[in-house]
Amino acid sequence: MAIIKADKLGVSVAKGPSLMTGAVPKNDWWDVPATFKPGNYAYPAKKEIIEYHTQKTFPSHPGLFGQPRDWDPESDDWNLPEGWEKIILNGLKERLDKFRSLKIFMDCCVRCGACADKCHFFLGTGDPKNMPVLRAELLRSVYRNDFTLGGKILGKMAGGRPMTFGVLKEWFMYFYQCTECRRCSVFCPYGIDTAEITMIGRELLHLVGVNINWIMEPAANSNRTGNHMGLQPHTFKDNIVYLCDDIEEITGIRVEPTFNRKGAEVLFITPSADVFAEPGIYTAMGYLLLFHHIGLDYTWSTYASEGGNFGLFTNNEMMKKLNGKMYAEAKRLGVKWILGGECGHMWRVLHQYMDTMNGPADFLQVPTSPITGTRFDNAASTKMVHISEFTADLIKHGKVKLDPKRNDHRTVTWHDSCNTARAMGLLDEPRYVMQNVCNNFHEMPENTIRESTFCCGSGTGLNTDEIMELRMRAGLPRANAVKYVRDRHAVDTLACVCAIDRATLTSLMNYWNPDVNVCGLSELVGNALVMEGEKERETGLRFEPLAGMEG
Amino acid sequence: MLLAELLVDRKGEILDSWVDQVLTTYPEDGSRFFKKEKDQFANPVGYTVKSSLWAVYALLFEKNEPEGIVACLHQMVRIRAVQTFNPSEAVSMAYILKRVVKDFSRKDNVADLEGWHAFEEKADILAYTLFDLYAASRERLYQTRVAEIKSGNQMITDAGCPSKLMDEIVPKAELKTINV
Ligand code: SF4
Ligand code: SF4
């Protein structure tokens, strides 16, 4: 056997024989330094935001977010705390002990390369460090160096490398070029979830105060007012009332939702973007119409006024706290169960992590639809049902009157949002609803939908405008599949059930396929709903003329 | 041999070399994948570059329909305009083509001045079109950014407190009290 030079061995960890068909990097990847330039990084959190989290969100967890400070990713001095390397290594040790999955993910990758070409960031950039196998290797190399016997003795020869400032920069660069979408995990024969490696990477970065504002400020707002937008109760309520005014103008029906009403049967929670930002507001109008149509005994909460949970992008403690708020509100109001709107990561937190953090929610009842009597045993532990499951069940039982022709002015395709599709298996319910509310529907190609869906490219708190170029290249595989159905079938509407997607796909389409609009599924439901006593509809919920009404 | 003949006779080789060199502008590990994977959805970059260059070549040197090239190039330039290239690298395809064709004509001893003038002219049309599309794509990128900021999705940060903003937008008298 040829003797491999020691300095090459560290590289050969990613060069080993390929068991699968995928590609693994052949280059000396860790010799290429991460360089920050305007446009390739998201802005760091403002000092006062970290101060807020330290003092108000987690006074009981000093150090969770490092020292509040100003720092500049482009500078060579990040103003890191004394002994920051030790802080990271201790943090890693603590997490290896706490999360068995992390230890397994660190140990069991065989570098087969099956995941390598499955990440949209790699497909859009060609940067090998965006291959999931290498993204994980950024952390794994440090793990190997300090936590495995081979690494401790052989160091680089065994694929280990010490925690240095260069490594920290790579982490900040590439753990924020992963949207935790889990597409790679679908193709990994060992089920390694690189998204969870990114999550731990980000947690560790937080310990030394390396973070981004687009995540930390909405998280602070959520802690303070209950939602990302920082809306106070009166504003939250007023916005919904404005939407009711629009509904009245379009349908002639006055919808009267209630707020913070104790004793309602159901608490409805949705992302605040549905209440405040386009095109989410049209989706919210769809919810309002649907609940009025079926006479649901429900309430909105102006405190649990956010389904989104930026804790998922931050650390376990934050995720737990923000998730807990929804349940605290359900308890306070004395509802029986929770109905959840079109959100992505709220559902990921619910399905993957809620039970171990805050569950089971035994003070609530197993959700049962008061209209159809269906018991949602799949939500027996979390007591929270997705609006698409709920709507599909209503349609299945013939409890809603629909006129799909009212969406004839649109030709629609369906984007499976990563979190609802891959993390909770919500694949067929939205399609069933879609079939019933619109006539012109075309699927995107098979390897870009369902479990293999491509991310919008801007999830996990990367939907900030200073990295627009990065987002556009990460979203290329998604946009490319939309382009295909647009060219073939004249698709002009991209529907989904995720608030972040609705915002980010809007920009993605604006750049790649400018004639394609983005909407939520419930907006299409709202258009199709035939309300009792309504006037003839001339426009859809965004005041766009219906087919045949263009004149 | 005339250059126009060479461009037709050796089309396949010239295009292979052209596509290969354009894809070599990516990091080595990425470019290897972009060159290999054939599925257009699993490999949008490689597929788009290849199909665009083939289509453009046919329009310029076989069908002589230069006006059609905009549609063939648009998606490729959109891609290059958001990747980490300098502008000159992003739209270097025309120069790369000149280099490739020069190499082939040298090998085949093509000395056809007339033919070179005609070729240069078409390659220049390609270069100008790429430049225009690149500028348009960057413009689109900035418009996208502005549109996002205006949409309200950006209200989360930097805009101050949205509740206060709403207070300013909505006359005080219209605000109703909440019965909690
Ligand atoms: S989770 Fe998604 S973004 Fe992250 S490495 Fe895997 S495929 Fe890429
Ligand atoms: S993470 Fe899984 S798919 Fe990727 S290289 Fe390792 S074992 Fe293979």
Side-chain angles (χ1 to χ4, degrees), chain A residues 108-116 133 140 184 187-190 192 194:
Chain A
C108 82
C109 170
V110 296
R111 273 150 234 116
C112 66
C115 62
V133 55
R140 197 178 278 127
C184 49
F187 299 89
C188 174
Y190 295 89
I192 293 173
T194 305

Side-chain angles (χ1 to χ4, degrees), chain A residues 444 454-456 472 474-486 494 505 508-509 511-513 516, chain B residues 41 44 75:
Chain A
M444 283 184 272
F454 275 117
C455 177
C456 64
M472 293 302 111
L476 166 63
R478 172 73 302 156
N480 180 55
V482 176
K483 181 177 184 300
Y484 180 78
V485 284
R486 187 205 59 174
L494 176 60
L505 290 174
L508 195 71
M509 289 306 108
Y511 181 72
W512 294 104
N513 304 308
V516 175
Chain B
F41 306 108
Q75 182 72 353

